[in-house]
């Protein structure tokens, strides 16, 4: 039998071979470019032939600006004269555009030590240590220096001190302590700089007792502690929140005539501020200025930050002015502290203004500042400006860290843009930082909130494949998601898997299961879950009990609900507004509105005021009983108490007017609703159309007006929708783009595409432009009805207006095109998707697995997979496994082998 996929295999291996060839060439090119032979040769020629090479025009103007550290390392290695190499090393380091890296130091030190030029070598060694920028550099330097250490080139006291200072800078405590011991064993007597360095390193970590041992050596060696010694000890005590000991050291130093400096005061100010003693910290600031000691920018920053957090805005302004008055100018850390403080105290406008002032003053925010801004904006629900700052940050070269990525991913998920969050996630996998458990859980939650439960589950599988073990919260998110979307069997399956992994379900997981089963009418099973929950040592909270009460109320099992309330109170769980409102809602929906009012009276007596949900339930009950006058009074009572009705409350009362045949009153209430910026939903408009239909039938003396109280989908005609729009205009509720959008979305959901089309034409005639939501609704409806040509037209219009459909919409359109035997167009659309900013894994999940494979299009799926593969779209091994598994279900063994190759 001829293998139909043989050509694809050949193409794939050809591409793989070409990939390896390109990789070899790239590596060869990188090796060849490690340094520039011609440039190095020219520089070496000038150094050798021109005695006054420092003034050589070609060297200064043309060659030196092109030099990289790897070139300099090569020149230092090639140069035959070590002294000449040393002179060149120091000379080139003074060029403002150039900076040595560790390799240049290593090459030069090897030469100098080899030529036994130990004096110059010691100076280079010290500069090398000072050149370290991170702990990894220090580790590499120590390893190298130990490796080239010879009898006459041991560490000098200066070298040891420099090493200790740098180790302190990077807080490498253990390494510093070992180095100090090594120094003592080598017979090198430490000086005050050495001992102060060790004391400072230990105190930074709060190891004051160990620091005191070193202090005793200072006294034993007939040395005197200086301001640096005392300040380090004060810092250590403050680190341990032991301010009493810190002030004892402060008193001792002043007693022995050692004057504190600005750093000493800054340590105490910071210690006081951290304990919330801001006024005492301000007093210390005043004391230091009285002594003629100018506060550091750090001291001001600490105080400003703490004043912001307690919302003392006036004090912040005075202190900020005092800071400038003393010629102490804010730096990026000051601005970061102020921005964070004002955001945390709720002054978002002031914080944003400070950010802009920071940019005007020429400061480039660092990653910490950006994270503060992004975090606080996302917390405040201002995701769009947070995203702008993230984009600005990346464009300015500030590399986002894991905190930044997690905040933006969380923001995307909250806004419902999980696919965009996955693009960032994909970037993290490729270039870092590596996703954390928080990242994965955020994405799982994002998909759960959208109802994309298959993707949520895949996300958990992906995290396992990437070596990140799901925790209790991961499983809880999935359980809650499956329950929310009515998939109780899968929720139970995840619950059992959680137990198998030795993880203990928490209250949230149990509450989700109980709530899900109650909503599904399985109240007895929900009650058994409460028993099981308690057996496992996890006790119900108010939210658990409220979910159970909701289920019992809907089943009219009021005696059991009352019994549960009693048990709750015995356990110290007092009913809250949700508890009472749950009971009220159940009673009102079961025709027991008068009894519901007695519950409300009881809750008010117990100091638990009714909320919007309570009032909405009561309004519904009164309207169902035809008691519209009391419903209106209740509505007025709500507003009087400062409780603003929402869509549900307004729509309920509008429905009440419609049921009584007072349609004019219903439209007047609609006007009132829109005037307070409470947006009507499709149900609101449906209720009004029901009223208009009833009104029309009564005018025609049609008996059907009484027998048909409800409005079915087939009753909705474009004429009825048009009458709604006209009546809205007559009552001062001029239809807006949002009105049309709500109606089009609702009509499309009900499959009324003809009416939706006519409505869009109507709005365009009135000079209104359809928004993205309208186009998306039409596109989905066209795909559902296999109207692929108008769907493609809509897609083109959307593209011209900068609108990007979701991958789910693309999935539906590709599926519709395949059903309509337009596979080539589907392929073209898929290839365009690959050009966009989408995660390859998500493309496979949504387009190939949830789309083509579920529609039985395995052959098209395999073809599209090869296209994706040929575009070098990197897939996770977990996604390849999922796809291979799904293909195998359709007995497509060849395609499965091909996909499985993606795991190599």
């Amino acid at each position: 039998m001829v293998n139909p996929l043989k050509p694809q295999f050949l193409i794939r291996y050809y591409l793989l071979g070409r990939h390896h060839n390109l990789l070899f060439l790239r590596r060869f090119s990188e090796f060849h470019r490690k340094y520039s032979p011609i440039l190095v040769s020219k520089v070496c020629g000038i150094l050798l032939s021109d005695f006054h090479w420092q003034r050589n025009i070609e060297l200064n103007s043309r060659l030196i600006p092109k030099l990289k550290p790897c070139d300099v390392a090569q020149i230092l290695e090639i140069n035959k004269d070590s002294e000449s190499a040393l002179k060149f090393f120091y000379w080139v380091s003074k060029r403002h555009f150039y900076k040595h890296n560790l390799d240049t130091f290593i090459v030069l030190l090897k030469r100098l030590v080899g030529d036994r030029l130990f004096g110059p070598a010691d100076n280079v060694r010290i500069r090398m240590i000072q050149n370290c920028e991170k702990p990894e550099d220090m580790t590499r330097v120590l390893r190298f220096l130990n490796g080239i250490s010879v009898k006459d080139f041991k560490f000098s006291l200066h070298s040891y001190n420099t090493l200790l200072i740098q180790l302190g800078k990077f807080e490498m405590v253990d390494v510093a302590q070992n180095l100090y011991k090594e120094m003592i064993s080598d017979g090198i007597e430490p000086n005050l700089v050495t001992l102060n360095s060790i004391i400072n390193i230990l105190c930074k970590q709060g190891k004051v007792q160990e620091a005191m041992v070193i202090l005793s050596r200072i006294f034993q060696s007939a040395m005197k502690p200086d301001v640096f010694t005392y300040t380090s000890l004060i810092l250590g005590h403050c680190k341990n929140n032991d301010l009493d000991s810190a002030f004892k050291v402060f008193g001792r130093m002043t007693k022995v005539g050692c004057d504190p400096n600005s750093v000493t005061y800054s340590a105490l100010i910071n210690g006081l501020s951290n304990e919330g003693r801001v006024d005492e910290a301000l007093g210390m600031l005043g004391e230091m200025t009285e002594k003629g000691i100018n506060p550091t920018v750090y001291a001001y920053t600490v105080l400003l930050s703490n004043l912001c957090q307690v919302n003392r805005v006036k004090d912040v302004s005075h202190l900020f002015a005092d800071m400038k008055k003393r010629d102490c100018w804010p730096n990026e850390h000051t601005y970061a502290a102020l921005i964070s403080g004002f955001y945390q105290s709720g002054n978002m406008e002031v914080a944003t203004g400070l950010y802009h002032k920071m940019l005007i003053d020429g400061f480039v925010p660092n990653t910490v500042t950006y994270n503060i801004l992004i975090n606080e904006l996302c917390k405040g629900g201002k995701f769009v400006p947070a995203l702008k700052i993230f984009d600005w940050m990346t464009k300015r070269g500030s590399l986002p860290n894991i905190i930044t990525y997690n905040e933006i991913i969380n923001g995307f998920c909250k806004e419902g843009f999980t696919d965009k969050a996955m693009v960032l996630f994909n970037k993290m996998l490729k270039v870092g930082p590596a996703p954390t458990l928080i990242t994965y859980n955020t994405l799982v939650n994002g998909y759960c909130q959208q109802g994309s439960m298959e993707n949520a589950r895949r996300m958990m599988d992906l995290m396992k494949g990437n070596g990140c073990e799901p925790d209790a919260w991961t499983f809880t998110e999935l359980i809650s998601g499956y329950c929310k979307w009515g998939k109780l069997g899968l929720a139970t399956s995840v619950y059992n898997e959680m137990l198998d992994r030795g993880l203990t379900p928490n209250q949230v997981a149990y509450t989700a299961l109980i709530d899900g089963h109650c909503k599904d009418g399985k109240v007895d099973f929900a009650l058994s879950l409460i028993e099981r929950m308690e057996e496992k040592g996890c006790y119900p909270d108010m939210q658990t009990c409220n979910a159970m009460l909701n289920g019992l109320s809907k089943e009219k099992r009021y005696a059991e609900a009352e019994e549960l309330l009693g048990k709750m109170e015995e356990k110290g769980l007092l009913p809250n507004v949700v508890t009472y409102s749950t009971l009220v809602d159940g009673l009102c929906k079961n025709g027991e509105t008068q009894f519901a009012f007695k519950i409300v009276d009881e809750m008010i007596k117990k100091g638990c005021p009714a909320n919007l949900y309570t009032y909405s339930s009561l309004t519904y009950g009164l309207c169902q009983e035809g008691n519209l006058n009391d419903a209106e009074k209740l509505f007025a009572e709500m507003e009087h108490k400062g409780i603003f009705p929402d869509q549900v409350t307004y729509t309920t009362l509008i429905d009440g007017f419609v049921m009584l045949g007072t349609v004019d009153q219903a439209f007047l209430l609609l006007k009132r609703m829109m005037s307070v910026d409470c947006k009507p939903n499709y149900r609101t408009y449906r209720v009004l159309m029901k009223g208009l239909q009833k009104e029309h039938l009564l005018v025609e003396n049609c008996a059907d007006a009484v027998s048909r109280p409800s409005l079915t989908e087939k009753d909705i005609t474009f004429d009825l929708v048009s009458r709604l729009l006209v009546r809205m205009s007559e009552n001062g509720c001029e239809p807006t783009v949002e009105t049309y959008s709500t109606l089009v979305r609702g009509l499309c959901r009900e499959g009324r595409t003809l009416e939706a089309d006519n409505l869009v034409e109507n709005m365009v005639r009135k000079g209104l432009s359809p928004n993205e939501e309208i186009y998306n609704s039409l596109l989905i409806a066209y795909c559902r009805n296999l109207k692929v040509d108008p769907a493609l037209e809509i897609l083109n219009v959307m593209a011209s207006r900068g609108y990007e459909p979701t991958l789910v919409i693309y999935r539906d359109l590709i599926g519709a095109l395949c059903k309509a035997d337009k596979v080539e167009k589907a392929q073209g659309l898929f290839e365009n998707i690959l050009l966009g900013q989408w995660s390859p894994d998500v493309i496979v999940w949504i387009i190939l697995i949830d789309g083509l494979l579920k529609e039985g299009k395995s052959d098209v799926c395999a073809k599209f997979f090869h296209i994706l593969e040929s575009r070098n779209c990197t897939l996770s091994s977990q996604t390849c496994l999922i796809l291979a598994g799904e293909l195998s279900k359709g007995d497509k063994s060849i395609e499965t082998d091909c996909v499985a190759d993606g795991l190599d």
Side-chain angles (χ1 to χ4, degrees):
M1 182 177 173
V2 178
N3 186 341
L5 289 179
K6 189 77 173 178
Q8 283 92 328
F9 272 108
L10 290 171
I11 291 168
R12 178 155 188 254
Y13 285 116
Y14 166 73
L15 287 170
L16 187 64
R18 187 178 67 172
H19 170 73
H20 283 304
N21 290 335
L22 288 170
L23 189 63
F24 171 77
L25 289 171
R26 193 181 300 120
R27 286 177 180 169
F28 177 81
S29 177
E30 284 170 2
F31 175 79
H32 186 70
R33 290 200 309 269
K34 187 176 180 182
Y35 67 90
S36 308
I38 297 172
L39 178 63
V40 169
S41 177
K42 282 185 178 180
V43 173
C44 287
I46 291 170
L47 295 179
L48 187 66
S49 62
D50 189 347
F51 185 74
H52 301 291
W53 54 265
Q54 293 96 329
R55 294 196 290 272
N56 186 285
I57 295 171
E58 185 183 12
L59 183 67
N60 279 283
S61 61
R62 289 184 58 244
L63 302 179
I64 293 299
K66 296 178 182 177
L67 284 179
K68 297 173 185 174
C70 57
D71 300 318
V72 172
Q74 189 68 15
I75 292 164
L76 295 174
E77 197 169 17
I78 291 170
N79 202 310
K80 294 180 181 179
D81 181 15
S82 292
E83 288 187 7
S84 174
L86 183 65
K87 192 182 289 185
F88 178 73
F89 173 85
Y90 282 121
W91 178 78
V92 77
S93 68
K94 294 175 183 176
R95 307 304 99 186
H96 70 275
F97 47 78
Y98 175 83
K99 186 179 180 182
H100 288 303
N101 64 12
L102 290 182
D103 291 330
T104 56
F105 283 102
I106 287 169
V107 168
L108 183 60
L109 270 173
K110 281 180 180 177
R111 284 203 61 159
L112 294 173
V113 173
D115 291 347
R116 303 188 66 77
L117 297 170
F118 298 128
D122 190 41
N123 291 330
V124 172
R125 174 168 58 187
I126 288 164
R127 289 190 64 162
M128 181 188 198
I129 295 163
Q130 292 169 337
N131 196 65
C132 292
E133 294 180 344
K134 51 184 184 291
E136 292 80 7
D137 292 344
M138 283 300 303
T139 304
R140 184 185 175 195
V141 164
L142 282 167
R143 195 182 299 121
F144 168 72
L145 291 177
N146 287 327
I148 65 162
S149 181
V150 293
K151 184 180 178 182
D152 297 318
F153 190 57
K154 296 287 185 183
F155 285 118
S156 63
L157 177 61
H158 191 184
S159 297
Y160 271 118
N161 285 346
T162 308
L163 273 168
L164 287 171
I165 289 166
Q166 283 293 87
L167 290 169
K169 178 181 172 184
F170 299 121
E171 298 186 9
M172 298 170 72
V173 183
D174 293 336
V175 180
Q177 286 180 291
N178 290 333
L179 190 72
Y180 174 70
K181 290 172 187 174
E182 180 188 310
M183 177 183 175
I184 300 300
S185 66
D186 280 350
I188 295 175
E189 190 65 29
N191 61 10
L192 188 59
V193 173
T194 319
L195 300 172
N196 273 348
S197 297
I198 288 290
I199 287 171
N200 185 256
I201 289 168
L202 292 168
C203 286
K204 276 183 179 177
Q205 298 295 314
K207 298 182 177 183
V208 183
Q209 293 306 314
E210 292 177 54
M212 293 299 287
V213 175
I214 307 296
L215 179 67
S216 65
R217 180 156 188 146
I218 292 178
F219 290 115
Q220 290 166 12
S221 305
M223 290 182 272
K224 286 184 179 181
D226 62 5
V227 66
F228 188 87
T229 322
Y230 287 116
T231 301
S232 295
L233 291 167
I234 287 168
L235 179 69
H237 286 305
C238 288
K239 193 87 178 175
N240 294 331
N241 298 319
D242 186 0
L243 282 179
D244 290 339
S245 296
F247 275 100
K248 281 177 185 176
V249 174
F250 182 70
R252 195 183 312 145
M253 73 183 289
T254 53
K255 190 175 181 179
V256 298
C258 181
D259 294 328
N261 61 16
S262 58
V263 182
T264 318
Y265 276 105
S266 294
L268 288 166
I269 287 168
N270 186 42
L272 289 165
S273 297
N274 287 340
E275 286 205 357
R277 295 157 67 176
V278 184
D279 290 314
E280 290 175 70
L282 284 168
M284 288 297 294
L285 187 77
E287 182 182 317
M288 71 186 290
T289 53
E290 283 172 14
K291 289 184 178 181
I293 302 170
N294 286 323
T296 61
V297 67
Y298 172 74
Y300 276 115
T301 299
V302 166
L303 271 170
L304 287 165
S305 174
N306 280 276
L307 286 168
C308 285
Q309 286 174 18
V310 293
N311 209 15
R312 288 168 61 170
V313 181
K314 285 185 179 179
D315 289 328
V316 170
S317 300
H318 291 317
L319 194 60
F320 198 62
D322 183 66
M323 181 181 183
K324 290 183 176 180
K325 185 180 174 182
R326 295 182 183 279
D327 281 336
C328 182
W329 298 95
N331 58 21
E332 62 270 21
H333 300 295
T334 316
Y335 277 111
L338 285 166
I339 289 164
S340 175
F342 277 121
Y343 267 124
Q344 287 174 22
S345 64
N347 289 305
M348 296 183 76
E349 289 182 9
V350 178
T352 308
L354 276 166
Y355 166 66
H356 291 300
K357 180 164 176 36
M358 181 182 188
L359 297 177
I360 292 166
D361 286 352
F363 289 106
V364 177
N366 57 20
T367 303
V368 174
T369 314
Y370 280 122
N371 283 349
I372 290 166
L373 283 162
I374 290 167
N375 177 47
E376 297 301 334
L377 285 167
C378 288
K379 274 185 190 174
K382 298 192 175 183
F383 179 64
V384 174
L387 188 58
K388 284 181 181 176
I389 289 172
F390 179 78
D391 291 338
W392 170 265
M393 175 184 187
T394 50
K395 285 173 186 174
R396 294 286 297 235
S398 295
L399 293 176
N401 61 17
I402 188 63
I403 298 170
T404 325
Y405 273 108
N406 282 348
E407 285 295 343
I408 291 296
I409 285 173
N410 186 44
F412 271 131
C413 290
K414 279 184 177 176
E415 294 288 317
F417 302 132
T418 315
D419 291 343
K420 290 183 180 179
M422 283 297 292
V423 174
L424 282 184
F425 171 77
N426 202 49
K427 185 179 177 182
M428 291 171 77
L429 290 176
K430 286 181 179 177
V431 298
T436 62
L437 184 62
I438 293 171
T439 319
Y440 286 107
N441 282 349
T442 302
L443 287 161
V444 169
N445 176 258
Y447 278 124
C448 288
Q449 293 303 316
Q450 279 186 325
S452 303
M453 293 310 301
E454 288 181 330
N455 285 347
R457 181 69 205 214
R458 287 163 187 155
M459 200 66 226
M460 188 170 83
D461 293 338
L462 192 62
M463 74 190 283
K464 290 179 196 172
N466 289 341
C468 183
E469 280 301 309
D471 65 352
W473 195 248
T474 321
F475 284 98
T476 300
E477 292 286 4
L478 281 171
I479 291 168
S480 300
Y482 280 129
C483 289
K484 180 181 177 180
W485 299 102
K487 298 179 179 180
L488 296 179
L490 291 169
T492 305
S493 173
V494 173
Y495 167 79
N496 290 330
E497 184 183 343
M498 187 179 185
L499 293 176
D500 291 341
R501 283 177 167 261
L503 296 171
T504 306
N506 57 18
Q507 286 173 332
V508 179
Y510 277 114
T511 301
L513 285 165
I514 288 163
D515 186 50
H517 283 89
C518 282
K519 284 175 179 172
D520 199 41
K522 298 173 181 176
V523 178
D524 290 322
F525 186 79
L527 285 167
S528 71
L529 276 172
I530 289 186
E531 290 176 13
R532 193 187 309 176
M533 178 181 184
E534 290 176 330
E535 285 169 8
K536 298 281 184 182
C538 181
Y539 296 99
D541 62 2
M542 280 307 306
Q543 198 170 349
T544 320
C545 295
N546 288 339
M548 195 67 249
L549 284 170
N550 189 36
L552 291 168
S553 297
K554 282 180 179 176
E555 295 284 315
K556 297 185 180 181
R557 293 161 68 169
Y558 299 121
E560 289 170 86
E562 193 175 349
E563 186 183 344
L564 181 62
L565 270 172
K567 286 180 181 178
M568 286 166 60
E569 290 182 359
E570 284 173 15
K571 292 175 182 178
L573 293 173
L574 297 177
N576 57 21
V577 67
V578 178
T579 316
Y580 287 116
S581 296
T582 300
L583 290 170
V584 167
D585 185 59
L587 289 164
C588 289
K589 283 179 178 172
N590 288 305
E592 300 282 352
T593 308
Q594 295 311 310
F595 189 49
F597 271 101
K598 289 178 182 177
I599 297 285
V600 173
D601 290 339
E602 186 182 337
M603 69 187 283
I604 292 169
K605 282 176 188 175
K606 291 188 177 181
C608 185
N611 64 8
L612 174 61
Y613 184 63
T614 323
Y615 277 106
S616 294
S617 299
L618 291 169
T619 304
Y620 173 84
L622 290 169
C623 287
Q624 288 299 306
E625 292 174 4
N627 196 345
L628 206 57
N629 288 333
D630 285 348
E632 283 190 89
K633 287 176 185 176
L634 193 66
F635 198 83
E637 185 184 320
M638 282 177 69
E639 293 181 320
H640 179 70
K641 289 183 176 179
I643 301 170
F644 300 104
D646 63 357
Q647 286 175 334
V648 175
T649 323
Y650 273 111
T651 303
T652 299
L653 198 52
I654 287 169
D655 196 20
F657 284 127
V658 166
M659 283 191 290
L660 290 178
T662 55
V663 180
D664 288 336
Q665 285 289 100
F667 275 98
L668 286 174
L669 190 57
L670 176 71
K671 182 181 179 180
R672 187 169 158 191
M673 177 183 185
M674 295 174 74
S675 69
V676 294
D677 202 31
C678 182
K679 296 175 176 62
N681 57 21
Y682 186 62
R683 184 175 174 272
T684 316
Y685 293 129
R686 255 182 147 272
V687 166
L688 287 164
M689 284 191 281
K690 180 177 71 175
L692 291 171
Q693 184 199 44
K694 187 176 180 181
E695 187 181 64
H696 179 68
L697 292 171
L698 285 169
V699 168
E700 292 187 349
N701 294 317
C702 181
D704 204 28
V706 178
S707 62
R708 263 177 39 194
S710 62
L711 184 72
T712 62
E713 287 176 12
K714 67 177 183 178
D715 292 327
I716 299 174
T717 61
F718 179 63
D719 177 61
L720 187 58
V721 177
S722 297
R723 275 191 279 142
L724 170 70
L725 297 174
V726 170
R727 196 67 163 267
M728 284 178 68
S729 296
E730 289 173 353
N731 283 275
C733 307
E734 193 61 41
T736 62
V737 171
E738 196 159 7
T739 309
Y740 282 100
S741 181
T742 303
L743 285 165
V744 169
R745 191 170 67 249
L747 290 167
C748 287
R749 269 202 311 269
E750 293 176 349
R752 314 292 295 181
T753 50
L754 180 62
E755 287 76 10
D757 278 335
N758 290 334
L759 195 56
V760 173
E761 287 177 19
N762 179 280
M763 75 178 290
V764 170
R765 280 197 301 271
K766 290 189 174 182
L768 297 173
S769 296
N771 59 14
E772 187 173 10
E773 197 172 43
I774 288 173
Y775 285 126
N776 280 333
S777 298
L778 288 172
L779 197 49
I780 293 166
Y782 288 151
C783 291
R784 196 182 296 135
N785 295 326
L786 297 184
K787 295 181 178 179
V788 290
D789 290 329
L792 289 171
E793 285 176 23
I794 290 283
L795 189 68
N796 290 331
V797 173
M798 289 180 74
S800 68
R801 299 195 177 187
Y803 298 146
E804 177 76 75
T806 64
L807 277 177
V808 172
I809 294 176
Y810 277 124
R811 175 199 70 193
D812 292 348
L813 184 50
I814 285 172
L817 286 166
C818 289
K819 285 179 183 176
D821 294 325
K822 296 189 177 184
V823 178
E824 284 187 14
K825 284 192 176 181
Q827 181 177 323
L829 186 58
F830 182 73
E831 288 171 352
N832 282 336
I833 291 168
L834 297 182
L835 297 173
Q837 294 292 314
W838 304 102
S839 162
D841 286 301
V842 181
I843 291 173
V844 171
W845 296 351
I846 295 175
I847 305 290
L848 302 190
I849 299 173
D850 292 343
L852 294 170
L853 285 182
K854 283 192 177 176
E855 294 292 339
K857 302 289 182 181
S858 300
D859 51 344
V860 182
C861 176
K863 184 178 181 181
F864 282 14
F865 175 77
H866 288 295
I867 294 168
L868 182 141
E869 195 179 31
S870 68
R871 298 288 178 90
N872 294 322
C873 295
T874 308
L875 291 174
S876 69
S877 57
Q878 192 60 41
T879 295
C880 290
L881 279 171
I882 294 168
L883 182 56
E886 292 295 330
L887 281 167
S888 68
K889 290 177 185 176
D891 196 25
K892 295 282 180 178
S893 57
I894 297 170
E895 291 90 332
T896 301
D897 291 340
C898 185
V899 172
D901 286 341
L903 298 169
D904 298 338

